[in-house]
Amino acid sequence: MDTSSVKKTTIRAIGNSAGATIPKVLLEKYNFHEGDTVFLLETEAGILLSPYDPDFEEAMEIYQEGSKKYRNALRELAK
């Protein structure tokens, strides 16, 4: 693991839940803003925080397959 990219934070109580603060430099680097939805993905190495939505990715794959299969019909409908 590259220790230069390791940032330390503390888990804090937030109402009946808990949360961690994200350093400003990382918020800016990854273009996160207050109110953004993020996803926690469990990995072998721990937890990954990401704006990536696996459901959206699956939907886009389904769209890509359908748009290839029905390319001509979609072109006609677009007229």
Side-chain angles (χ1 to χ4, degrees), residues 52-69:
Y52 168 77
D53 180 354
D55 292 335
F56 179 77
E57 183 67 26
E58 181 181 352
M60 289 308 298
E61 288 174 8
I62 292 168
Y63 164 77
Q64 291 294 333
E65 291 172 14
S67 68
K68 287 178 187 176
K69 185 175 182 178

Side-chain angles (χ1 to χ4, degrees), residues 3 8 10 14 16 18 26-28 30-31 37 41 49-50 52 54-55 57 60 64-67 72 74-75:
T3 57
K8 183 178 178 180
T10 303
I14 302 174
N16 291 331
L26 291 177
L27 292 172
E28 291 172 351
Y30 294 102
N31 200 28
T37 298
L41 305 170
L49 176 73
S50 174
Y52 168 77
D55 292 335
E57 183 67 26
M60 289 308 298
Q64 291 294 333
E65 291 172 14
S67 68
N72 293 334
L74 291 170
R75 187 177 299 128

Side-chain angles (χ1 to χ4, degrees), residues 4 8 20 22 29 31-32 34 36 54-55 57-59 76:
S4 66
K8 183 178 178 180
I22 302 171
K29 180 177 180 179
N31 200 28
F32 286 138
E34 185 176 333
D36 285 352
D55 292 335
E57 183 67 26
E58 181 181 352
E76 287 299 315

Side-chain angles (χ1 to χ4, degrees), residues 38-55:
V38 293
F39 298 87
L40 300 174
L41 305 170
E42 290 186 76
T43 69
E44 290 181 16
I47 298 172
L48 171 67
L49 176 73
S50 174
Y52 168 77
D53 180 354
D55 292 335

